[in-house]
């Protein structure tokens, strides 16, 4: 659980070992712009839902941005599933899209954390670390992280890579 542990701290700010879920796999994807990120995200979601037959109800996409400002909701057209803010009763091909903040305390089997870009670097290091921890620790089985090169570099530095 290397991606989460660097951001896990107790109330005094001291590092602690995360006892998070046993992740089978963590993937990281670098992107240059919103279109590139959405294309990579949709490819990953299609792999999970269509190729691997993961029920869409077991997948969530998290973003640090408000959904009104997010590029995610605008760029999911043409997929065999839809990104939604709330699951409809009985809807089979809906993938929940939520803010990291709103999903705090919840978990899902497959989690994609997207839109980790330079805008995130404007926040304090403590705020960024909190968002990273909350976003990355929501996955029970598989985590995919979509970030720009600068954010991925920060994550590598935090992990000591």
């Amino acid at each position: 659980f290397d991606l989460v542990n660097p951001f896990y701290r107790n109330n005094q700010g001291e590092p602690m070992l995360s006892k998070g879920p046993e992740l089978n796999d963590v993937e990281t994807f670098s992107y240059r712009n919103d279109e590139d990120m959405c294309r990579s995200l949709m490819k990953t979601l299609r792999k999970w839902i269509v190729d691997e037959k993961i029920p869409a109800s077991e997948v969530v996409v998290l973003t640090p941005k408000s959904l009104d400002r997010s590029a995610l909701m605008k760029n999911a057209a043409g997929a065999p599933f839809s990104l939604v803010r709330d699951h409809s009763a009985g809807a089979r091909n809906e993938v929940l899209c939520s803010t990291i903040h709103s999903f705090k305390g919840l978990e899902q089997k497959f989690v994609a954390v997207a839109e980790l870009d330079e805008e995130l670097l404007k926040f304090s290091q403590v705020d960024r670390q909190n968002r990273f921890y909350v976003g990355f620790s929501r996955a029970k089985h598989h985590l995919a992280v979509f970030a720009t090169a600068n954010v991925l570099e920060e994550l590598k530095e935090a992990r000591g890579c």
Side-chain angles (χ1 to χ4, degrees):
F1 219 41
D2 281 340
L3 201 58
V4 176
N5 280 326
F7 310 107
Y8 195 51
R9 306 261 184 234
N10 65 16
N11 291 337
Q12 290 76 38
E14 300 162 340
M16 296 176 62
L17 183 61
S18 171
K19 294 180 182 174
E22 303 260 340
L23 288 177
N24 289 342
D25 205 3
V26 176
E27 295 178 280
T28 57
F29 300 89
S30 180
Y31 68 90
R32 294 177 300 281
N33 55 45
D34 287 345
E35 288 177 10
D36 189 29
M37 183 266 311
C38 286
R39 193 172 24 258
S40 293
L41 174 64
M42 291 302 126
K43 184 177 178 181
T44 298
L45 294 177
R46 185 180 309 273
K47 180 182 83 169
W48 290 349
I49 296 166
V50 176
D51 300 343
E52 298 177 12
K53 310 253 186 278
I54 306 300
S57 62
E58 294 181 1
V59 177
V60 66
V61 177
L62 301 178
T63 177
K65 298 182 179 187
S66 75
L67 295 182
D68 292 332
R69 293 182 333 139
S70 172
L72 298 172
M73 302 302 283
K74 301 171 195 139
N75 290 299
F81 47 82
S82 56
L83 293 179
V84 297
R85 295 171 186 245
D86 296 303
H87 280 295
S88 301
R92 286 189 28 218
N93 292 323
E94 291 183 345
V95 174
L96 180 63
C97 187
S98 177
T99 64
I100 291 172
H101 178 76
S102 295
F103 210 73
K104 187 175 182 175
L106 301 174
E107 292 181 331
Q108 191 53 275
K109 289 182 181 178
F110 289 77
V111 175
V113 180
E115 296 188 299
L116 300 180
D117 59 22
E118 278 64 26
E119 190 175 313
L120 189 61
L121 298 176
K122 295 176 185 175
F123 291 98
S124 72
Q125 185 175 8
V126 170
D127 286 342
R128 284 194 311 274
Q129 288 178 348
N130 183 52
R131 283 176 174 83
F132 292 151
Y133 171 72
V134 172
F136 299 163
S137 64
R138 303 302 92 194
K140 291 185 196 178
H141 181 65
H142 192 95
L143 174 66
V145 176
F146 298 82
T148 59
N150 289 340
V151 174
L152 284 177
E153 186 61 35
E154 180 173 332
L155 292 172
K156 286 178 184 176
E157 288 173 11
R159 289 173 31 197
C161 296

